[in-house]
Each structure stands twice: as C-alpha cells, then as structure tokens.
Amino acid sequence: LSDIVHHKTKGNPLFFSRLMSSLITEGLLQFRLSCRRWVWDEESIQSRKIPDDVAEFFTHAIGMLSPDHLNALCTLSCFGASIEISVIKILEEGLELQLQKSFDEAVSEG
C-alpha cells in the first residue's frame, strides 16, 4: 500500500492525506476490529483510477460536493483568502443562503 500511495502522491503530504481519506470513504481501506488492523485490497486500489496529480484530485473532490456547498464556495471565493463573519452574515441575508453552514460542512467533508 505504501508503494502505491507514494507513487500516486509523489510524497506530497496534503495529497497523501486526501488520498488516504478517499480510500477509507470508498471502502478500499478499512480498519477491521476483529483482527485489530488495517486491511486493503492492493489490486482494487491499483486498478482504481486515481488522479496522478493534486490539481486533478482536488478538481474531482470539488465536483463531488453538493450544489449548496459549491454555491457557498463559489460565493465566498469571490472575497479571496479571508472574509469577515459580518460580511458573511450580510451576504446570507441579502442572498437568502446559508453560506457559513454550507462552507463549514464542505470543510468538514474535506
């Protein structure tokens, strides 16, 4: 597993953590309580189409978000890397959206 993951991520720690999370989410990597260890199917992981670069991987991950989450991310991204909570509140009232809740949910989903 380590060879496959290292080859796919080229050692990028952010890509590594996202890839491992996706393998768990998709059931390709599981912790088995009965034997108290992680188990995986190398053949399934190798044959699975895993993007070879970080940008492609994140593009796919963003595409998997719900329309509400995407809308919140698109709206908030117009303000750059940071935005005051007071501005979010004004936007939520004016646009009748739950930006903060959708953004928080998108962040928690990875």
Side-chain angles (χ1 to χ4, degrees), residues 44-68:
S44 294
I45 293 171
Q46 274 186 315
S47 65
R48 179 179 171 264
K49 173 65 176 124
I50 299 172
D52 287 327
D53 65 46
V54 178
E56 188 179 338
F57 184 80
F58 282 107
T59 299
H60 175 73
I62 289 170
M64 301 293 288
L65 293 173
S66 73
D68 287 343

Side-chain angles (χ1 to χ4, degrees), residues 1-106:
L1 178 62
S2 64
D3 288 340
I4 297 168
V5 172
H6 187 267
H7 173 73
K8 289 292 185 184
T9 64
K10 296 176 180 61
N12 181 311
L14 179 61
F15 192 17
F16 169 83
S17 83
R18 295 299 180 201
L19 179 58
M20 295 301 286
S21 293
S22 75
L23 292 177
I24 292 168
T25 300
E26 295 173 20
L28 297 174
L29 174 63
Q30 302 172 349
F31 186 77
R32 296 270 170 84
L33 286 175
S34 59
C35 52
R36 290 189 259 166
R37 67 185 204 103
W38 289 94
V39 294
W40 58 90
D41 180 352
E42 282 187 33
E43 197 172 294
S44 294
I45 293 171
Q46 274 186 315
S47 65
R48 179 179 171 264
K49 173 65 176 124
I50 299 172
D52 287 327
D53 65 46
V54 178
E56 188 179 338
F57 184 80
F58 282 107
T59 299
H60 175 73
I62 289 170
M64 301 293 288
L65 293 173
S66 73
D68 287 343
H69 292 36
L70 283 173
N71 191 19
L73 289 176
C74 286
T75 302
L76 295 173
S77 70
C78 294
F79 293 89
S82 64
I83 184 173
E84 296 291 326
I85 294 293
S86 60
V87 176
I88 293 175
K89 299 280 185 203
I90 293 168
L91 288 169
E92 286 179 329
E93 289 174 17
L95 300 174
E96 297 180 10
L97 297 172
Q98 293 185 342
L99 296 173
Q100 187 171 355
K101 180 182 177 198
S102 291
F103 183 73
D104 288 343
E105 289 172 3

